[in-house]
Amino acid sequence: MSFDLIVRHANLADDRTDIDIAVSGGKIVAVERNIEGEAGRVIDAGGRLVSAPFIDIHFHMDATLSLGTPRLNRSGTLLEGIQLWGELKPLLTKEAVIERALKYCDLAVAQGLLAVRSHVDVCDDRLVGVEALLEVKDLVKDYLDLQLVAFPQDGFYRSPTAAKNLIRSLDMGVDVVGGIPHFERTMEDGRLSVKALCEIAAERGLLVDLHCDETDDPLSRHIETLAYETQRLGLQGRVAGSHLTSMHSMDNYYASKLLPLIAEADIQCIPNPLANIVLQGRHDTYPKRRGMMRVPELMALGVNVALGQDSCMDPWYSFGNADMLEVAHMAVHTGHMTSRDAVKACFQAVTTNPAKTFGLEGYGIAPGCNADFVLIEARDAIEAVRLKAGRLAVVRRGKVISETAPRTASLTLAGRPASIDPWTYAPVEAAG
Ligand SMILES: [Zn+2]
């Protein structure tokens, strides 16, 4: 047998070890031990992890890499971030948004991040971000799947032209209906916005993904309405609640009623631990709340939880590196998810879980799937999260599209190894 590519001696995220992966015509054709045959290219994984690509299910590509323009967020709060973005918005040009987004996608590819769901602000009447990201979606489609959410950042009702612009954006080809009920003027407006947005999605056969209850106010309960509308309109499995941080502060009795409602409606839950660990709790003295949704409890009920990065070098978050292992690492810490199974669950929350939320077809390491995968500088998913390990090779449709050299450090310490691999701290060469 002759293949385009064979990866040999790979460990898989489901704990199978020493597996070969054969690729032909851009598809995975075999996943088993000791595949016989030749290939145009052979990659020896050498007992390292090969995973399906990372997916970022919550991002803002219209704002990314804009840090410091026109100024920095001094208070570090979500509300100042929104205000700052409002100052930047009229200054945006389509060309600049495209340039920043393409630059970010280069970085994403190098990090093995090959699918991104990005919210795009529709509250600028020029719809500069929408036009730019639709163009980017087409420009990157051979190497990265970009899904866009029409996001009325300044409120579906609160911003005078948001409702009209949201429809315009969907007509232009934006894929998902967004919203921000907790930012509307009243609870009632928030509730009505959830209802209206779900109805728009139902009418058009679209997915829903709302920034929902991104507040420390335990009485912000728009998620309850979102679950109700999902049931009412038969949208089960097609609706996502992003952030849901008020859930952190809710009383346990109410949460015990709410979480099963979320499970029943098959709401996709999207925590964003990097952003929310620093944006939430800003009005607290001590103790300071963490502002994270109840991830282990949702997972225990069978809810599909997928982690987002949210921001990278923008008005809300001045860190980030397109690294979904960093996101999983933070989720482990903020959710007390340190058991072996919980760390694996966090790895799944940046791979297989978001694939379901995104609706990605042909995703996975199995015969018939697209030949998209990442060779990671770690032996298994837990080590990958621990080390935020390097991505040695990134493959899309059977072709290597990014390679990074393994990291080693040379030491000059008497009686100690001459070099170590700083990712694993395993000696790679005896002291000379
Ligand atoms: Zn967001």
Side-chain angles (χ1 to χ4, degrees), residues 58-60 119 151 211 214 243 272 310:
H58 188 113
F59 194 61
H60 293 265
H119 294 253
F151 176 44
H211 282 68
E214 190 181 6
H243 297 290
N272 297 280
D310 201 5

Side-chain angles (χ1 to χ4, degrees), residues 306-323:
L307 297 165
Q309 185 187 201
D310 201 5
S311 285
C312 177
M313 308 281 284
D314 71 9
W316 296 275
Y317 189 63
S318 54
F319 301 88
N321 194 26
D323 185 355

Side-chain angles (χ1 to χ4, degrees), residues 60-240:
H60 293 265
M61 206 177 277
D62 50 357
T64 194
L65 306 183
S66 68
L67 183 69
T69 322
R71 62 178 177 85
L72 292 167
N73 182 336
R74 280 181 292 267
S75 67
T77 60
L78 173 61
L79 292 177
E80 187 177 340
I82 294 175
Q83 190 190 342
L84 182 47
W85 174 239
E87 292 168 28
L88 173 56
K89 240 188 297 194
L91 310 176
L92 292 178
T93 65
K94 187 173 148 187
E95 293 68 33
V97 175
I98 291 174
E99 196 188 318
R100 284 193 279 103
L102 288 177
K103 220 167 140 184
Y104 180 80
C105 290
D106 295 342
L107 174 62
V109 166
Q111 297 279 34
L113 168 55
L114 300 188
V116 176
R117 172 183 282 183
S118 174
H119 294 253
V120 50
D121 191 347
V122 298
C123 289
D124 163 21
D125 290 339
R126 302 175 301 153
L127 293 182
V128 166
V130 174
E131 278 186 15
L133 291 193
L134 283 169
E135 212 166 305
V136 170
K137 180 180 170 173
D138 191 54
L139 287 168
V140 303
K141 65 177 186 299
D142 289 342
Y143 52 90
L144 186 145
D145 295 299
L146 180 59
Q147 188 178 54
L148 299 177
V149 185
F151 176 44
Q153 169 82 72
D154 300 328
F156 183 66
Y157 292 127
R158 189 167 166 181
S159 166
T161 52
K164 198 178 76 196
N165 290 345
L166 183 128
I167 297 294
R168 278 171 65 204
S169 307
L170 298 176
D171 288 342
M172 286 162 73
V174 171
D175 314 271
V176 183
V177 179
I180 185 163
H182 57 277
F183 195 70
E184 304 293 349
R185 287 197 174 87
T186 62
M187 285 289 182
E188 179 60 4
D189 270 5
R191 187 186 71 77
L192 291 171
S193 79
V194 173
K195 182 168 184 278
L197 292 162
C198 287
E199 283 171 354
I200 291 168
E203 227 165 76
R204 291 175 173 245
L206 297 175
L207 304 174
V208 177
D209 187 342
L210 305 188
H211 282 68
C212 195
D213 303 323
E214 190 181 6
T215 153
D216 295 319
D217 175 4
L219 297 178
S220 187
R221 296 176 171 186
H222 297 294
I223 177 60
E224 183 186 272
T225 308
L226 188 62
Y228 172 79
E229 291 298 329
T230 300
Q231 292 279 12
R232 184 177 72 85
L233 296 164
L235 293 171
Q236 290 91 339
R238 294 166 50 200
V239 173

